[in-house]
Amino acid sequence: MIVKQVTDEGDTGADASTRFAREVAGLSLAGRASGPAVAPAVLATDLPSRVMTEMS
């Protein structure tokens, strides 16, 4: 299990909320793939604190 929090530091081209939304969307789309897993499955998110829990 992976617990990840997206903070305001990092990519200066996008704020943390945008990066969080982008990552959750990308992982959700990748989770729809048939066959072997290509990305960790998103189990839960907490938008106000920008925390996601993933299962790899």
Side-chain angles (χ1 to χ4, degrees):
M1 184 174 301
I2 302 164
V3 177
K4 185 186 299 185
Q5 182 174 27
V6 178
T7 64
D8 290 319
E9 298 178 17
D11 181 4
T12 57
D15 68 1
S17 295
T18 301
R19 293 192 328 270
F20 178 80
R22 187 184 308 149
E23 183 160 356
V24 170
L27 289 172
S28 297
L29 288 172
R32 295 181 188 174
S34 60
V38 295
V42 177
L43 299 177
T45 61
D46 180 25
L47 183 58
S49 60
R50 296 186 303 260
V51 171
M52 68 184 85
T53 305
E54 307 167 1
M55 180 64 83
S56 57

